[in-house]
Amino acid sequence: MRHPFPAPAPAALLLLLATAGCSAPDDRYPSLLPRAIEKTSFADPVRPVRESAPDPALELKIGEQQAALAEAVRTFDAASARAQTLATRAAGAAAGSEPWIEAQVALAELDTLRSATAAVLGDTEKLATDRALSGQPAYPALDRLLSAQRAAVAAQIERIAAIERSLAPA
């Protein structure tokens, strides 16, 4: 004789058995809600930035460094224009040709001038480092000068690379 209901599939029986234990909570397990220690922030506390007092000696050094940067950038820009002219003349010339060599010499001069700008940056970074090591607060004018010098060095590196890319490879 045939039963009116088909026999349950084995997977259905396993599912029924697996969920049977979930039907009656008995509070034996800990809560999954965050504990008090887990709500604690481990971020650094926000401390007010100390105002730096005006420093006439530092302002004088900053002025000297600004003048040195301006001179280094002016000298580099003049040499860069000359190097660009020589590179344009050497465009399409074979490596080792006279115009190519002249452009390469101009690029070497540019690299020397870029290192002079980097030296000015190094002097300013030493000022900032000495100030930080002595525990003094940041000095906004010094930070602005450092940013300007870093930008100038980066721009000079890119300018040299752009001129170099226009020449035939060695």
Side-chain angles (χ1 to χ4, degrees):
M1 172 162 173
R2 233 174 121 94
H3 293 291
F5 299 106
L13 283 175
L14 288 175
L15 181 64
L16 184 63
L17 288 173
T19 59
C22 296
S23 61
D26 59 0
D27 293 333
R28 287 188 303 168
Y29 300 101
S31 169
L32 295 178
L33 294 174
R35 297 176 300 215
I37 191 70
E38 294 172 332
K39 294 178 184 177
T40 303
S41 172
F42 293 103
D44 288 334
V46 176
R47 292 187 173 94
V49 177
R50 288 191 309 162
E51 291 289 325
S52 54
D55 185 347
L58 183 59
E59 287 291 337
L60 180 64
K61 290 177 184 177
I62 289 172
E64 291 169 356
Q65 292 301 100
Q66 286 172 332
L69 174 65
E71 177 62 24
V73 168
R74 186 188 59 71
T75 304
F76 180 89
D77 289 346
S80 174
R82 179 177 174 276
Q84 182 62 57
T85 302
L86 292 172
T88 302
R89 190 178 321 148
S97 66
E98 189 66 30
W100 184 87
I101 291 173
E102 289 175 351
Q104 291 294 331
V105 169
L107 276 173
E109 291 171 1
L110 277 184
D111 199 43
T112 301
L113 294 172
R114 184 219 34 92
S115 67
T117 306
V120 172
L121 170 61
D123 293 343
T124 306
E125 285 178 336
K126 183 171 179 355
L127 280 174
T129 302
D130 291 345
R131 185 172 174 81
L133 288 174
S134 67
Q136 295 175 331
Y139 202 77
L142 184 59
D143 292 341
R144 285 190 299 274
L145 177 60
L146 280 169
S147 294
Q149 288 175 333
R150 289 178 182 135
V153 169
Q156 289 178 356
I157 289 170
E158 178 53 38
R159 181 73 178 133
I160 291 170
I163 294 172
E164 192 170 354
R165 283 190 298 269
S166 70
L167 295 173

